[in-house]
Amino acid sequence: MSVQSSLGKRLDPPDSVGVRFAFLTLWGIDAVAATLFFLVPYASELNPVTVFFYQLFGLPGVLIAAACYAAVVMLIGHVLSDPMDIRFVAIVAGLYVLFAANNLLLLMYREPLPELLGLW
């Protein structure tokens, strides 16, 4: 009984359902794009954790790695108190906008976002 009450005091359930939904949507797009990186010959995944899981489990390993990333973000968001949890998840969702945009553009145009924008 003390474990449940102790756990309940440490976790701060978030009120940021919309921000978390946005994160999960962007995470899903990025997970699909990362999976496609292993299927096309002209792009490669740079994340060493994802590559390691791919080498261990094949394509399901990519989704396992992606699920681990999402679980870590959600867990951290639950541990932080309001409004820090909303800010943290919003920042991560913003990063996933960049990751997903870069991955999709790389798959469609064979060039990363910085090269398309002339920044690289």
Side-chain angles (χ1 to χ4, degrees), residues 27-41:
W27 166 82
I29 292 168
D30 189 57
V32 169
T35 303
L36 292 174
F37 280 162
F38 292 98
L39 300 176
V40 297

Side-chain angles (χ1 to χ4, degrees), residues 38 45-56 61-62 64-66 68-69:
F38 292 98
E45 176 64 43
L46 298 177
N47 187 326
V49 175
T50 305
V51 172
F52 176 73
F53 274 80
Y54 174 75
Q55 290 172 345
L56 282 179
V62 177
I64 292 169
C68 290
Y69 304 144

Side-chain angles (χ1 to χ4, degrees), residues 53-120:
F53 274 80
Y54 174 75
Q55 290 172 345
L56 282 179
F57 305 112
L59 284 179
V62 177
L63 298 178
I64 292 169
C68 290
Y69 304 144
V72 167
V73 169
M74 291 300 179
L75 181 66
I76 292 172
H78 274 75
V79 172
L80 295 173
S81 61
D82 190 58
M84 290 303 295
D85 64 338
I86 295 172
R87 290 180 190 153
F88 171 75
V89 176
I91 289 169
V92 173
L95 290 172
Y96 265 93
V97 166
L98 293 174
F99 298 155
N102 183 64
N103 290 348
L104 291 175
L105 291 172
L106 184 59
L107 287 168
M108 291 186 328
Y109 299 109
R110 298 182 182 203
E111 290 184 14
L113 183 60
E115 284 185 16
L116 286 173
L117 296 175
L119 300 174
W120 194 353

